[in-house]
Amino acid sequence: TVPLSAQESPLPAPPPIDSILVEGAERVSAGQVVATSGLVLQQRPSYRDIQNAMAALFRSGQYDDVQVDQRMSGGKSVVVLRVVERPLQGTFDVTGNSKIALRDISDRIRLIENRPLDRVAVARARFAIDSLYRDRGYFAARVTVRQEPQPDGRVLVFYDIVEGSKIVVAKVQVEGDSAFAEGDIVGQMRTKPEGFW
């Protein structure tokens, strides 16, 4: 047996939550923040409970930053949920396109107005526009994104395009093959030479 003095004493249970405060929320109500966190009054939150609360708030897509603090005030446990709200998506616009119709480009952009700004969707749209130009032979095209915050808390997104010149394949020459006709090989290629006219 191990002497009692040598045994590890168990960690004391955390005190029950007496109150939950929300800081930084303006667009989202304090009640919504608390409800999303999953924390409840009189709960004795473990470290995992705090982690789960932060993860749930981040998963909601409403916040750019989340911090959870616990402190004692007058002998009572107070949990503070501190959030930084994500701005709302405003309109988007495309500039610099003349070789590809705006409708075709807009079809590649999946941004929803008046929802929290989805930065992954903003980046995904930039890559989709870039791919559209490459598929049409504009390998020198460059797409950049500008985000302009507005006084109303929304963010306008601009996709600025420098199209460059179209690259045309004039001729494909196949070397080293004797089993297939050159025309059959070229016919199976995605990139094909364009006719003189």
Side-chain angles (χ1 to χ4, degrees), residues 56-110:
L57 288 165
F58 271 120
R59 274 196 311 272
S60 73
Q62 297 282 355
Y63 311 104
D64 277 335
D65 189 33
V66 175
Q67 296 178 13
V68 179
D69 294 327
Q70 288 179 278
R71 60 184 179 222
M72 299 301 290
S73 177
K76 296 184 177 181
S77 173
V78 179
V79 171
V80 181
L81 303 177
R82 191 173 296 112
V83 297
V84 175
E85 290 178 331
R86 186 171 290 181
L88 292 178
Q89 171 69 55
T91 58
F92 68 84
D93 197 9
V94 177
T95 65
N97 65 303
S98 62
K99 312 276 177 53
I100 297 181
L102 178 60
R103 182 187 68 250
D104 294 340
I105 295 171
S106 296
D107 287 346
R108 303 292 178 108
I109 301 173
R110 305 275 190 258

Side-chain angles (χ1 to χ4, degrees), residues 102-137:
L102 178 60
R103 182 187 68 250
D104 294 340
I105 295 171
S106 296
D107 287 346
R108 303 292 178 108
I109 301 173
R110 305 275 190 258
L111 302 180
I112 303 173
E113 282 188 58
N114 299 318
R115 296 279 304 272
L117 180 67
D118 185 343
R119 292 185 176 85
V120 173
V122 170
R124 191 179 294 128
R126 187 186 77 77
F127 287 117
I129 296 168
D130 189 62
S131 295
L132 175 62
Y133 272 90
R134 290 181 185 278
D135 289 346
R136 304 257 179 113

